[in-house]
Amino acid sequence: MDRLLLTLTIIFVSLLAGYGIRQWVSSGRAPLSETALLRLRLIIQKAAMFGLIPVSAMLSLWGLPSPDPRLLSLPVLGLAAWTAGGAFALFFARLMRLSPAKTGSLYCCGTFTNIGAVGTLVAVMYFGEQAIAIASLYRLCEEMFYFSVALPVARRFGEKPREGSARRFRLDPVLAAIVAALALGLALNLAGVSRPAAFGFLSSAAMLAGTVCFLLSIGMGLRLSRMACHAKESAAVSLIKFVLVPVLITSLAMLAGLGGVEDGMPLKVVAILSAMPVAMNALIPPSLFDLDLDLANACWVFTTLELVVVLPIIILILPLL
């Protein structure tokens, strides 16, 4: 229970702190302008995405004892989760007879999942530093899938992309940073290079700092607008994120034999990662392709707030796996 409360506190205090800073700037009483706030957000995000999170993943994979070949199924399970989430979203959009703009936004919300900032944090709080390596392998193909599959699909439901947006959707450098970090960590592991004991603490500390930075920057950009108008769509996304995808992916993880690796720890980490809320990245395609940004914003806020209920349920289910 203490770990659960600590996890929820870290998530929501970081978000609220960022949102409070944004409100302070918007009031005109802060020494920062809106432009300066945007620059600060970008600096914090880059520090997390290009520094803290890749370093944490590298150190964790380096220290992972005797990687089991069955862990190679983790990237496939990640791909299956994002693909299934998008497919379920398109099914519900058709069922609710949504417009193309709303369908595109619902697809983004079904696909984009908050694994790095929230999922990894929850896993590490319960399973320690080794969960970082498991989570990193699970999301190995995340950026590649988003940019090569999810974004082109979302674009089909929108209007003509805004000027310059095509240039903005190149392969994200975050992918290069994560892949390079994982490759270095794996190379050191397979080469038998002994990792200094202090690096275990450093890995967890870097992950925690990266999570706080990322959530803080998200809070700085949060805009609450007309969320109540999208309760039906938010309910559908909640069903996808917290029931349909977790049941499917956890079942596949069992079939892949992850329950027999390290006392089932990878299976339980997958169960956590597959039941995470909408990622903030889901707001990017709607803003570029003239999809329904309010719908995406509502789904992101609702599913994030629902962690207060979802996380205790996940923790109760984990011992049964």
mmCIF file of all heavy atoms in Angstrom, residues 202-244:
data_model
loop_
_atom_site.group_PDB
_atom_site.id
_atom_site.type_symbol
_atom_site.label_atom_id
_atom_site.label_comp_id
_atom_site.label_asym_id
_atom_site.label_seq_id
_atom_site.Cartn_x
_atom_site.Cartn_y
_atom_site.Cartn_z
ATOM 1 N N LEU A 202 22.055 4.113 -9.479
ATOM 2 C CA LEU A 202 22.057 5.195 -10.463
ATOM 3 C C LEU A 202 21.000 4.963 -11.540
ATOM 4 O O LEU A 202 20.341 5.900 -11.993
ATOM 5 C CB LEU A 202 23.441 5.306 -11.109
ATOM 6 C CG LEU A 202 23.621 6.414 -12.154
ATOM 7 C CD1 LEU A 202 23.358 7.778 -11.547
ATOM 8 C CD2 LEU A 202 25.030 6.348 -12.744
ATOM 9 N N SER A 203 20.806 3.697 -11.936
ATOM 10 C CA SER A 203 19.802 3.367 -12.949
ATOM 11 C C SER A 203 18.404 3.720 -12.468
ATOM 12 O O SER A 203 17.621 4.359 -13.179
ATOM 13 C CB SER A 203 19.878 1.877 -13.287
ATOM 14 O OG SER A 203 18.845 1.501 -14.172
ATOM 15 N N SER A 204 18.068 3.310 -11.241
ATOM 16 C CA SER A 204 16.746 3.614 -10.686
ATOM 17 C C SER A 204 16.559 5.118 -10.485
ATOM 18 O O SER A 204 15.485 5.661 -10.766
ATOM 19 C CB SER A 204 16.568 2.889 -9.340
ATOM 20 O OG SER A 204 16.624 1.492 -9.516
ATOM 21 N N ALA A 205 17.606 5.786 -10.014
ATOM 22 C CA ALA A 205 17.518 7.228 -9.780
ATOM 23 C C ALA A 205 17.318 7.990 -11.088
ATOM 24 O O ALA A 205 16.529 8.940 -11.155
ATOM 25 C CB ALA A 205 18.781 7.713 -9.069
ATOM 26 N N ALA A 206 18.015 7.571 -12.136
ATOM 27 C CA ALA A 206 17.879 8.233 -13.433
ATOM 28 C C ALA A 206 16.485 8.029 -14.002
ATOM 29 O O ALA A 206 15.893 8.945 -14.583
ATOM 30 C CB ALA A 206 18.930 7.696 -14.406
ATOM 31 N N MET A 207 15.931 6.809 -13.832
ATOM 32 C CA MET A 207 14.582 6.548 -14.311
ATOM 33 C C MET A 207 13.553 7.406 -13.578
ATOM 34 O O MET A 207 12.670 8.010 -14.182
ATOM 35 C CB MET A 207 14.261 5.065 -14.125
ATOM 36 C CG MET A 207 12.901 4.611 -14.673
ATOM 37 S SD MET A 207 11.473 5.056 -13.658
ATOM 38 C CE MET A 207 11.954 4.304 -12.107
ATOM 39 N N LEU A 208 13.695 7.494 -12.250
ATOM 40 C CA LEU A 208 12.761 8.277 -11.457
ATOM 41 C C LEU A 208 12.847 9.765 -11.824
ATOM 42 O O LEU A 208 11.824 10.434 -12.003
ATOM 43 C CB LEU A 208 13.052 8.087 -9.969
ATOM 44 C CG LEU A 208 12.168 8.860 -8.993
ATOM 45 C CD1 LEU A 208 10.706 8.495 -9.189
ATOM 46 C CD2 LEU A 208 12.594 8.587 -7.558
ATOM 47 N N ALA A 209 14.074 10.273 -11.970
ATOM 48 C CA ALA A 209 14.253 11.673 -12.333
ATOM 49 C C ALA A 209 13.691 11.949 -13.728
ATOM 50 O O ALA A 209 13.052 12.984 -13.970
ATOM 51 C CB ALA A 209 15.737 12.048 -12.283
ATOM 52 N N GLY A 210 13.921 11.012 -14.660
ATOM 53 C CA GLY A 210 13.388 11.184 -16.009
ATOM 54 C C GLY A 210 11.876 11.186 -16.027
ATOM 55 O O GLY A 210 11.253 11.966 -16.756
ATOM 56 N N THR A 211 11.260 10.319 -15.214
ATOM 57 C CA THR A 211 9.803 10.267 -15.124
ATOM 58 C C THR A 211 9.235 11.569 -14.583
ATOM 59 O O THR A 211 8.279 12.131 -15.137
ATOM 60 C CB THR A 211 9.367 9.104 -14.211
ATOM 61 O OG1 THR A 211 9.793 7.874 -14.798
ATOM 62 C CG2 THR A 211 7.859 9.083 -14.036
ATOM 63 N N VAL A 212 9.830 12.085 -13.495
ATOM 64 C CA VAL A 212 9.365 13.339 -12.911
ATOM 65 C C VAL A 212 9.501 14.486 -13.912
ATOM 66 O O VAL A 212 8.586 15.302 -14.070
ATOM 67 C CB VAL A 212 10.142 13.653 -11.609
ATOM 68 C CG1 VAL A 212 9.830 15.068 -11.121
ATOM 69 C CG2 VAL A 212 9.798 12.634 -10.532
ATOM 70 N N CYS A 213 10.634 14.551 -14.601
ATOM 71 C CA CYS A 213 10.847 15.608 -15.603
ATOM 72 C C CYS A 213 9.802 15.526 -16.707
ATOM 73 O O CYS A 213 9.234 16.541 -17.129
ATOM 74 C CB CYS A 213 12.251 15.496 -16.199
ATOM 75 S SG CYS A 213 13.572 16.028 -15.108
ATOM 76 N N PHE A 214 9.551 14.310 -17.192
ATOM 77 C CA PHE A 214 8.608 14.140 -18.295
ATOM 78 C C PHE A 214 7.192 14.524 -17.872
ATOM 79 O O PHE A 214 6.488 15.240 -18.589
ATOM 80 C CB PHE A 214 8.646 12.693 -18.783
ATOM 81 C CG PHE A 214 8.075 12.502 -20.149
ATOM 82 C CD1 PHE A 214 8.753 12.955 -21.270
ATOM 83 C CD2 PHE A 214 6.853 11.876 -20.324
ATOM 84 C CE1 PHE A 214 8.216 12.783 -22.539
ATOM 85 C CE2 PHE A 214 6.313 11.709 -21.585
ATOM 86 C CZ PHE A 214 6.998 12.166 -22.697
ATOM 87 N N LEU A 215 6.749 14.075 -16.694
ATOM 88 C CA LEU A 215 5.413 14.404 -16.210
ATOM 89 C C LEU A 215 5.290 15.895 -15.916
ATOM 90 O O LEU A 215 4.241 16.504 -16.155
ATOM 91 C CB LEU A 215 5.092 13.599 -14.959
ATOM 92 C CG LEU A 215 4.891 12.085 -15.169
ATOM 93 C CD1 LEU A 215 4.780 11.376 -13.830
ATOM 94 C CD2 LEU A 215 3.667 11.813 -16.024
ATOM 95 N N LEU A 216 6.347 16.495 -15.407
ATOM 96 C CA LEU A 216 6.343 17.931 -15.132
ATOM 97 C C LEU A 216 6.148 18.719 -16.422
ATOM 98 O O LEU A 216 5.351 19.660 -16.490
ATOM 99 C CB LEU A 216 7.651 18.334 -14.458
ATOM 100 C CG LEU A 216 7.778 19.784 -13.989
ATOM 101 C CD1 LEU A 216 6.804 20.055 -12.851
ATOM 102 C CD2 LEU A 216 9.213 20.079 -13.542
ATOM 103 N N SER A 217 6.856 18.309 -17.473
ATOM 104 C CA SER A 217 6.738 19.005 -18.755
ATOM 105 C C SER A 217 5.349 18.804 -19.367
ATOM 106 O O SER A 217 4.813 19.703 -20.011
ATOM 107 C CB SER A 217 7.818 18.520 -19.727
ATOM 108 O OG SER A 217 7.599 17.178 -20.121
ATOM 109 N N ILE A 218 4.757 17.622 -19.151
ATOM 110 C CA ILE A 218 3.392 17.365 -19.632
ATOM 111 C C ILE A 218 2.408 18.293 -18.924
ATOM 112 O O ILE A 218 1.527 18.900 -19.547
ATOM 113 C CB ILE A 218 3.007 15.891 -19.411
ATOM 114 C CG1 ILE A 218 3.758 14.998 -20.404
ATOM 115 C CG2 ILE A 218 1.503 15.696 -19.581
ATOM 116 C CD1 ILE A 218 3.536 13.528 -20.186
ATOM 117 N N GLY A 219 2.557 18.409 -17.613
ATOM 118 C CA GLY A 219 1.683 19.303 -16.853
ATOM 119 C C GLY A 219 1.790 20.743 -17.320
ATOM 120 O O GLY A 219 0.792 21.473 -17.346
ATOM 121 N N MET A 220 2.976 21.158 -17.721
ATOM 122 C CA MET A 220 3.184 22.528 -18.198
ATOM 123 C C MET A 220 2.408 22.813 -19.482
ATOM 124 O O MET A 220 2.072 23.963 -19.771
ATOM 125 C CB MET A 220 4.674 22.785 -18.453
ATOM 126 C CG MET A 220 5.513 22.886 -17.210
ATOM 127 S SD MET A 220 7.247 23.176 -17.646
ATOM 128 C CE MET A 220 8.000 23.224 -16.028
ATOM 129 N N GLY A 221 2.146 21.774 -20.247
ATOM 130 C CA GLY A 221 1.437 21.981 -21.508
ATOM 131 C C GLY A 221 -0.016 21.565 -21.482
ATOM 132 O O GLY A 221 -0.706 21.614 -22.498
ATOM 133 N N LEU A 222 -0.510 21.175 -20.313
ATOM 134 C CA LEU A 222 -1.873 20.660 -20.207
ATOM 135 C C LEU A 222 -2.905 21.776 -20.354
ATOM 136 O O LEU A 222 -2.826 22.810 -19.697
ATOM 137 C CB LEU A 222 -2.056 19.980 -18.851
ATOM 138 C CG LEU A 222 -3.425 19.328 -18.589
ATOM 139 C CD1 LEU A 222 -3.709 18.263 -19.642
ATOM 140 C CD2 LEU A 222 -3.449 18.722 -17.196
ATOM 141 N N ARG A 223 -3.883 21.529 -21.202
ATOM 142 C CA ARG A 223 -4.994 22.460 -21.392
ATOM 143 C C ARG A 223 -6.297 21.688 -21.189
ATOM 144 O O ARG A 223 -6.588 20.757 -21.936
ATOM 145 C CB ARG A 223 -4.972 23.079 -22.795
ATOM 146 C CG ARG A 223 -3.752 23.950 -23.064
ATOM 147 C CD ARG A 223 -3.799 24.508 -24.472
ATOM 148 N NE ARG A 223 -2.607 25.253 -24.797
ATOM 149 C CZ ARG A 223 -2.438 26.553 -24.556
ATOM 150 N NH1 ARG A 223 -3.406 27.226 -23.969
ATOM 151 N NH2 ARG A 223 -1.322 27.165 -24.904
ATOM 152 N N LEU A 224 -7.070 22.076 -20.190
ATOM 153 C CA LEU A 224 -8.334 21.406 -19.908
ATOM 154 C C LEU A 224 -9.454 22.143 -20.633
ATOM 155 O O LEU A 224 -9.740 23.292 -20.341
ATOM 156 C CB LEU A 224 -8.598 21.406 -18.399
ATOM 157 C CG LEU A 224 -7.493 20.769 -17.541
ATOM 158 C CD1 LEU A 224 -7.838 20.880 -16.070
ATOM 159 C CD2 LEU A 224 -7.266 19.320 -17.942
ATOM 160 N N SER A 225 -10.095 21.481 -21.581
ATOM 161 C CA SER A 225 -11.140 22.172 -22.349
ATOM 162 C C SER A 225 -12.200 21.186 -22.826
ATOM 163 O O SER A 225 -11.890 20.163 -23.427
ATOM 164 C CB SER A 225 -10.525 22.887 -23.564
ATOM 165 O OG SER A 225 -9.913 21.967 -24.430
ATOM 166 N N ARG A 226 -13.410 21.466 -22.508
ATOM 167 C CA ARG A 226 -14.584 20.740 -23.022
ATOM 168 C C ARG A 226 -14.454 19.220 -22.902
ATOM 169 O O ARG A 226 -14.826 18.464 -23.797
ATOM 170 C CB ARG A 226 -14.840 21.134 -24.474
ATOM 171 C CG ARG A 226 -15.258 22.582 -24.622
ATOM 172 C CD ARG A 226 -15.614 22.901 -26.044
ATOM 173 N NE ARG A 226 -14.451 22.954 -26.899
ATOM 174 C CZ ARG A 226 -14.503 23.175 -28.215
ATOM 175 N NH1 ARG A 226 -15.667 23.329 -28.814
ATOM 176 N NH2 ARG A 226 -13.407 23.227 -28.934
ATOM 177 N N MET A 227 -13.924 18.741 -21.777
ATOM 178 C CA MET A 227 -13.724 17.300 -21.623
ATOM 179 C C MET A 227 -15.040 16.538 -21.447
ATOM 180 O O MET A 227 -15.176 15.411 -21.905
ATOM 181 C CB MET A 227 -12.810 17.031 -20.432
ATOM 182 C CG MET A 227 -11.395 17.513 -20.631
ATOM 183 S SD MET A 227 -10.334 16.925 -19.298
ATOM 184 C CE MET A 227 -11.174 17.660 -17.893
ATOM 185 N N ALA A 228 -15.999 17.156 -20.765
ATOM 186 C CA ALA A 228 -17.259 16.467 -20.480
ATOM 187 C C ALA A 228 -18.024 16.109 -21.748
ATOM 188 O O ALA A 228 -18.859 15.195 -21.743
ATOM 189 C CB ALA A 228 -18.128 17.335 -19.580
ATOM 190 N N CYS A 229 -17.744 16.794 -22.845
ATOM 191 C CA CYS A 229 -18.433 16.524 -24.110
ATOM 192 C C CYS A 229 -18.010 15.198 -24.730
ATOM 193 O O CYS A 229 -18.635 14.744 -25.690
ATOM 194 C CB CYS A 229 -18.165 17.657 -25.102
ATOM 195 S SG CYS A 229 -18.761 19.272 -24.564
ATOM 196 N N HIS A 230 -16.946 14.594 -24.203
ATOM 197 C CA HIS A 230 -16.408 13.377 -24.822
ATOM 198 C C HIS A 230 -16.385 12.223 -23.829
ATOM 199 O O HIS A 230 -15.478 11.380 -23.863
ATOM 200 C CB HIS A 230 -15.005 13.653 -25.357
ATOM 201 C CG HIS A 230 -14.945 14.756 -26.369
ATOM 202 N ND1 HIS A 230 -15.473 14.633 -27.635
ATOM 203 C CD2 HIS A 230 -14.470 16.026 -26.275
ATOM 204 C CE1 HIS A 230 -15.286 15.771 -28.296
ATOM 205 N NE2 HIS A 230 -14.701 16.629 -27.491
ATOM 206 N N ALA A 231 -17.388 12.169 -22.956
ATOM 207 C CA ALA A 231 -17.436 11.099 -21.955
ATOM 208 C C ALA A 231 -17.584 9.723 -22.601
ATOM 209 O O ALA A 231 -16.977 8.741 -22.159
ATOM 210 C CB ALA A 231 -18.587 11.360 -20.986
ATOM 211 N N LYS A 232 -18.395 9.635 -23.663
ATOM 212 C CA LYS A 232 -18.633 8.343 -24.327
ATOM 213 C C LYS A 232 -17.339 7.812 -24.959
ATOM 214 O O LYS A 232 -16.997 6.631 -24.788
ATOM 215 C CB LYS A 232 -19.716 8.514 -25.393
ATOM 216 C CG LYS A 232 -20.057 7.230 -26.134
ATOM 217 C CD LYS A 232 -21.234 7.456 -27.069
ATOM 218 C CE LYS A 232 -20.902 8.456 -28.172
ATOM 219 N NZ LYS A 232 -21.988 8.580 -29.175
ATOM 220 N N GLU A 233 -16.635 8.681 -25.660
ATOM 221 C CA GLU A 233 -15.379 8.266 -26.285
ATOM 222 C C GLU A 233 -14.325 7.919 -25.236
ATOM 223 O O GLU A 233 -13.560 6.967 -25.394
ATOM 224 C CB GLU A 233 -14.860 9.366 -27.214
ATOM 225 C CG GLU A 233 -15.730 9.627 -28.433
ATOM 226 C CD GLU A 233 -16.822 10.655 -28.161
ATOM 227 O OE1 GLU A 233 -17.090 10.936 -26.963
ATOM 228 O OE2 GLU A 233 -17.408 11.163 -29.136
ATOM 229 N N SER A 234 -14.292 8.695 -24.148
ATOM 230 C CA SER A 234 -13.332 8.430 -23.075
ATOM 231 C C SER A 234 -13.607 7.078 -22.418
ATOM 232 O O SER A 234 -12.671 6.356 -22.054
ATOM 233 C CB SER A 234 -13.384 9.543 -22.026
ATOM 234 O OG SER A 234 -13.005 10.794 -22.584
ATOM 235 N N ALA A 235 -14.888 6.731 -22.278
ATOM 236 C CA ALA A 235 -15.245 5.433 -21.708
ATOM 237 C C ALA A 235 -14.772 4.293 -22.612
ATOM 238 O O ALA A 235 -14.286 3.261 -22.128
ATOM 239 C CB ALA A 235 -16.754 5.353 -21.494
ATOM 240 N N ALA A 236 -14.920 4.482 -23.923
ATOM 241 C CA ALA A 236 -14.471 3.456 -24.870
ATOM 242 C C ALA A 236 -12.961 3.272 -24.789
ATOM 243 O O ALA A 236 -12.453 2.135 -24.767
ATOM 244 C CB ALA A 236 -14.885 3.847 -26.290
ATOM 245 N N VAL A 237 -12.224 4.374 -24.720
ATOM 246 C CA VAL A 237 -10.768 4.293 -24.625
ATOM 247 C C VAL A 237 -10.351 3.655 -23.304
ATOM 248 O O VAL A 237 -9.399 2.859 -23.253
ATOM 249 C CB VAL A 237 -10.131 5.692 -24.783
ATOM 250 C CG1 VAL A 237 -8.634 5.656 -24.467
ATOM 251 C CG2 VAL A 237 -10.336 6.208 -26.201
ATOM 252 N N SER A 238 -11.057 3.966 -22.235
ATOM 253 C CA SER A 238 -10.762 3.356 -20.938
ATOM 254 C C SER A 238 -10.932 1.841 -21.002
ATOM 255 O O SER A 238 -10.115 1.084 -20.444
ATOM 256 C CB SER A 238 -11.675 3.937 -19.857
ATOM 257 O OG SER A 238 -11.467 5.325 -19.703
ATOM 258 N N LEU A 239 -11.993 1.383 -21.654
ATOM 259 C CA LEU A 239 -12.222 -0.049 -21.822
ATOM 260 C C LEU A 239 -11.079 -0.690 -22.604
ATOM 261 O O LEU A 239 -10.611 -1.790 -22.273
ATOM 262 C CB LEU A 239 -13.552 -0.284 -22.532
ATOM 263 C CG LEU A 239 -13.949 -1.738 -22.817
ATOM 264 C CD1 LEU A 239 -14.106 -2.518 -21.514
ATOM 265 C CD2 LEU A 239 -15.244 -1.802 -23.631
ATOM 266 N N ILE A 240 -10.624 -0.003 -23.641
ATOM 267 C CA ILE A 240 -9.516 -0.510 -24.461
ATOM 268 C C ILE A 240 -8.235 -0.594 -23.641
ATOM 269 O O ILE A 240 -7.557 -1.634 -23.611
ATOM 270 C CB ILE A 240 -9.297 0.390 -25.692
ATOM 271 C CG1 ILE A 240 -10.490 0.286 -26.647
ATOM 272 C CG2 ILE A 240 -8.000 0.009 -26.416
ATOM 273 C CD1 ILE A 240 -10.483 1.336 -27.747
ATOM 274 N N LYS A 241 -7.907 0.505 -22.966
ATOM 275 C CA LYS A 241 -6.629 0.612 -22.266
ATOM 276 C C LYS A 241 -6.537 -0.284 -21.035
ATOM 277 O O LYS A 241 -5.460 -0.823 -20.737
ATOM 278 C CB LYS A 241 -6.382 2.067 -21.849
ATOM 279 C CG LYS A 241 -6.134 3.021 -22.995
ATOM 280 C CD LYS A 241 -4.861 2.665 -23.732
ATOM 281 C CE LYS A 241 -4.472 3.730 -24.739
ATOM 282 N NZ LYS A 241 -3.296 3.327 -25.545
ATOM 283 N N PHE A 242 -7.624 -0.405 -20.308
ATOM 284 C CA PHE A 242 -7.557 -1.043 -19.006
ATOM 285 C C PHE A 242 -8.176 -2.428 -18.937
ATOM 286 O O PHE A 242 -8.091 -3.099 -17.896
ATOM 287 C CB PHE A 242 -8.203 -0.133 -17.954
ATOM 288 C CG PHE A 242 -7.550 1.219 -17.845
ATOM 289 C CD1 PHE A 242 -8.310 2.374 -17.810
ATOM 290 C CD2 PHE A 242 -6.172 1.335 -17.803
ATOM 291 C CE1 PHE A 242 -7.705 3.622 -17.710
ATOM 292 C CE2 PHE A 242 -5.550 2.572 -17.701
ATOM 293 C CZ PHE A 242 -6.321 3.722 -17.660
ATOM 294 N N VAL A 243 -8.822 -2.878 -20.046
ATOM 295 C CA VAL A 243 -9.427 -4.214 -20.043
ATOM 296 C C VAL A 243 -9.004 -5.019 -21.266
ATOM 297 O O VAL A 243 -8.343 -6.065 -21.137
ATOM 298 C CB VAL A 243 -10.977 -4.130 -19.980
ATOM 299 C CG1 VAL A 243 -11.571 -5.542 -20.000
ATOM 300 C CG2 VAL A 243 -11.436 -3.387 -18.732
ATOM 301 N N LEU A 244 -9.375 -4.566 -22.446
ATOM 302 C CA LEU A 244 -9.189 -5.369 -23.652
ATOM 303 C C LEU A 244 -7.723 -5.632 -23.972
ATOM 304 O O LEU A 244 -7.307 -6.792 -24.159
ATOM 305 C CB LEU A 244 -9.881 -4.687 -24.835
ATOM 306 C CG LEU A 244 -11.398 -4.489 -24.700
ATOM 307 C CD1 LEU A 244 -11.964 -3.805 -25.949
ATOM 308 C CD2 LEU A 244 -12.096 -5.827 -24.467
#
